[in-house]
Amino acid sequence: MINTATDGILPCQSIEDLIAREAIGSLTPFDANQVQPASLDLRLGERVWRVRASFLPGLKRRVLDRLPDVSMHQLDMRNGAVLERGCVYIAEVQERLFLPPGVSARGNPKSSTGRVDVFVRLLTDYGPAFDNVAEGYQGPLYVEIAPQTFSVLVRTGTRLNQLRLKQGSPPALETRSVGVDLSTGMAGYRGRRHAGVIDLDRVDGHDPRDFWEPLEARRGELLLDPNEFYILASKGDIEIPVLQAAEMTPIDPSVGEFRVHYAGFFDPGFGTLETDSVGSKGVLEVRSHETPFLLEDGQIVARLVYEPLSARPTRFYGEGGSHYLRQGLKLSKHFRAWG
């Protein structure tokens, strides 16, 4: 049961309790591995709409009420659908929420989604902001999907983002700066434009050389070209204590004209001795904006915000396996090892 006396991020057993009490529902049975240590993976439904513009429903409208104003055509995802780069889509989510008082939520792209430069944001009915789910919300969920560098193949059941649920209003415990590692020759990867389609349900199924260009740092520097997408790694290791969760937040524009880390949730136990994952880097998804930017080794590019859990989770990051356990500079799980 949820410990209503303790504010904090809900751990896996509390999420499972909400599912059992039907405070989190679904159009289909939940998958066995859908609940993570401190979040719930969300699955795409059957319908997706190509829209001409991103939108928010606002405080007086449902998402479906707003769609006729911007929808161009509808796709059926049951047999798979290609979402093209440079386009914007709104998709149904299979899960629905019937949150009790005092419980709110926040959405975030999964790590594998961010690493292929697919921008995903959560929408709710009567929602004035992306990714935020109001306390006690009851209703359906939708996602806005905007592939930036690669076109992607998705289908009903594809997991693009995750939901972190929160009891009360826990204060941030601390905020740490994250620097970028450009100290060695191999610095990262740049996405190739005009590459093929990435099947987001196909693990180890793509040759990375068809999609990525390896990059070498020179004199501890890397020049970011405008509107290009890069995979880089954090300068130091990341560690999330087992009684905490963390979110990596976008960079302050005053530090540089680029965005870092679309997918920001870090599970309890990431990079710790307790989970045998010491030595884990943070992988940084970086996109420069209108002007070239010269990035230097160790430069601060993001902030990591730590929050408490409402209870100790019954399982931690990496239990049952993870594609990113003890990761260094690493592409998403969709790609085979570079060779």
Side-chain angles (χ1 to χ4, degrees):
M1 298 290 291
I2 296 175
N3 181 358
T4 55
T6 304
D7 287 357
I9 303 298
L10 297 186
C12 50
Q13 67 269 24
S14 296
I15 298 173
E16 290 164 346
D17 177 62
L18 287 174
I19 292 173
R21 293 163 50 194
E22 299 184 343
I24 303 175
S26 175
L27 299 175
T28 60
F30 286 91
D31 296 338
N33 63 347
Q34 199 171 337
V35 178
Q36 304 301 322
S39 63
L40 172 71
D41 288 351
L42 300 178
R43 300 168 298 173
L44 297 181
E46 294 183 356
R47 296 184 295 175
V48 61
W49 292 266
R50 165 78 165 92
V51 294
R52 57 187 176 84
S54 174
F55 70 90
L56 283 165
L59 293 174
K60 297 183 178 180
R61 286 186 172 184
R62 300 181 306 156
V63 173
L64 289 181
D65 294 336
R66 195 73 175 91
L67 265 174
D69 298 333
V70 294
S71 176
M72 298 173 67
H73 61 266
Q74 180 180 319
L75 300 171
D76 187 333
M77 289 192 289
R78 286 175 292 182
N79 295 318
V82 173
L83 309 185
E84 298 183 18
R85 60 181 287 266
C87 299
V88 182
Y89 302 86
I90 301 295
E92 294 177 316
V93 171
Q94 294 190 40
E95 289 70 35
R96 296 176 61 92
L97 299 180
F98 307 90
L99 298 180
V103 176
S104 59
R106 179 168 172 79
N108 210 280
K110 289 177 65 64
S111 179
S112 297
T113 307
R115 294 189 203 197
V116 292
D117 200 18
V118 177
F119 197 41
V120 178
R121 299 191 288 188
L122 188 70
L123 285 164
T124 65
D125 287 344
Y126 315 110
F130 292 109
D131 290 328
N132 292 328
V133 181
E135 175 188 330
Y137 175 76
Q138 301 194 15
L141 299 172
Y142 303 86
V143 286
E144 177 188 289
I145 308 169
Q148 301 293 299
T149 298
F150 311 111
S151 296
V152 296
L153 175 62
V154 300
R155 51 187 62 79
T156 300
T158 298
R159 306 181 194 180
L160 296 183
N161 66 333
Q162 53 197 334
L163 194 70
R164 182 165 279 179
L165 295 112
K166 182 185 298 187
Q167 173 71 43
S169 301
L173 298 174
E174 65 174 316
T175 300
R176 297 181 183 177
S177 298
V178 178
V180 63
D181 187 0
L182 299 176
S183 60
T184 60
M186 178 58 179
Y189 303 93
R190 178 168 54 201
R192 295 186 184 277
R193 292 192 174 272
H194 313 296
V197 175
I198 298 175
D199 185 339
L200 294 185
D201 292 317
R202 192 177 173 198
V203 177
D204 296 328
H206 304 78
D207 188 333
R209 294 169 297 185
D210 294 334
F211 297 87
W212 300 98
E213 175 189 359
L215 298 175
E216 181 178 344
R218 300 184 62 188
R219 301 180 298 276
E221 297 177 339
L222 182 65
L223 181 63
L224 304 180
D225 290 322
N227 301 314
E228 298 290 341
F229 181 69
Y230 299 83
I231 295 292
L232 307 173
S234 66
K235 181 69 173 178
D237 296 340
I238 303 294
E239 181 178 346
I240 313 298
V242 295
L243 288 176
Q244 299 177 24
E247 180 176 358
M248 192 172 286
T249 59
I251 190 66
D252 182 339
S254 67
V255 180
E257 291 300 320
F258 53 88
R259 177 187 172 92
V260 171
H261 227 277
Y262 299 178
F265 287 167
F266 284 78
D267 275 335
F270 182 93
T272 65
L273 282 171
E274 291 182 77
T275 59
D276 192 27
S277 60
V278 170
S280 297
K281 302 283 187 182
V283 168
L284 308 171
E285 300 113 17
V286 180
R287 174 175 287 280
S288 185
H289 295 320
E290 287 77 13
T291 59
F293 189 85
L294 189 61
L295 203 58
E296 298 182 355
D297 180 48
Q299 183 169 342
I300 302 303
V301 295
R303 312 289 182 191
L304 199 58
V305 180
Y306 290 75
E307 294 182 279
L309 297 182
S310 64
R312 184 182 177 89
T314 55
R315 58 183 179 273
F316 304 113
Y317 170 79
E319 289 190 21
S322 170
H323 294 280
Y324 309 123
L325 196 66
R326 293 182 295 276
Q327 69 178 0
L329 176 65
K330 189 175 178 62
L331 296 173
S332 74
K333 65 182 180 181
H334 312 102
F335 299 99
R336 298 189 291 271
W338 197 282

